[in-house]
Amino acid sequence: MSAAKWLADFGPYVFIICVGIGLYYIADQISYAAVPGQMGPERWPKIIIGMLIAVCGFEIVRRIAVARRGSAASTQADDTDGGFSQQMEAHPLLVAGASAATVAYLLLLDICGFFVATVLYLGCVMWLGGIRRPIFVSLMSVVLSFAFSFFFMKLIYVALPLGEGPFAKISLVVMTLVGVR
């Protein structure tokens, strides 16, 4: 494998791992007064950085395995693309739609509240992603929004936007259902 090919295939992942190690070291330096029975403020950054490093490590191992499989196939069948014969289709309108949905989600958070805005956003993104089963999309949007609400409000104690008017009432019902009061 040439240096240019190695750099193109593995360089970004190695770079992210190195940056992740540096960020983990910085997160490890966060000083705080420990409270018994509670996580410190350094815990979530460390978990997220650790997951980032693990995903990049996994991708490096996966690419090595695919490259070896591809090189074995190329010696047997004159395969010149190294096993990467499948091309991804570009869908710029879907990407633009998902980007517009994300901007709308951010703008609607204060008006509709976290739960309602997240239900709408997840439904929109799933629909744009090609899932055309309305009952499934609706059900998954609601279930995932409850899961996110539970995770953010109950586990990591983030105050999420309630929304205005009737949306605030919906948010208060959701808070009760996930055990936050």
Side-chain angles (χ1 to χ4, degrees):
M1 178 182 286
S2 71
K5 176 102 171 100
W6 185 91
L7 189 60
D9 284 351
F10 302 108
Y13 300 105
V14 172
F15 175 76
I16 291 172
I17 288 173
C18 292
V19 169
I21 291 169
L23 290 173
Y24 193 91
Y25 174 77
I26 291 170
D28 202 34
Q29 304 302 313
I30 295 174
S31 61
Y32 64 95
V35 178
Q38 289 188 355
M39 294 187 303
E42 90 294 353
R43 179 71 56 98
W44 284 108
K46 285 175 151 180
I47 290 171
I48 292 168
I49 293 166
M51 289 171 44
L52 175 73
I53 292 170
V55 166
C56 288
F58 171 81
E59 184 62 19
I60 289 171
V61 171
R62 187 191 71 78
R63 285 176 179 253
I64 290 171
V66 167
R68 283 192 181 162
R69 199 174 321 134
S71 66
S74 69
T75 59
Q76 293 175 356
D78 239 7
D79 187 13
T80 58
D81 67 353
F84 298 104
S85 61
Q86 226 177 13
Q87 297 246 345
M88 297 294 291
E89 288 186 44
H91 298 285
L93 291 177
L94 294 178
V95 172
S99 298
T102 302
V103 170
Y105 173 68
L106 295 173
L107 294 173
L108 288 174
L109 269 175
D110 287 334
I111 298 167
C112 296
F114 176 81
F115 182 77
V116 173
T118 303
V119 167
L120 295 173
Y121 176 68
L122 290 174
C124 183
V125 169
M126 281 189 259
W127 193 266
L128 286 171
I131 301 173
R132 298 288 188 257
R133 296 176 12 208
I135 294 172
F136 177 78
V137 168
S138 302
L139 183 65
M140 286 307 297
S141 296
V142 170
V143 168
L144 287 171
S145 295
F146 268 113
F148 288 143
S149 296
F150 175 78
F151 179 77
F152 288 122
M153 286 192 244
K154 186 77 172 171
L155 297 181
I156 60 175
Y157 307 111
V158 174
L160 300 172
L162 296 177
E164 299 173 1
F167 300 117
K169 292 178 183 176
I170 293 171
S171 295
L172 292 173
V173 168
V174 169
M175 288 174 66
T176 302
L177 291 174
V178 298
V180 175
R181 260 308 171 146

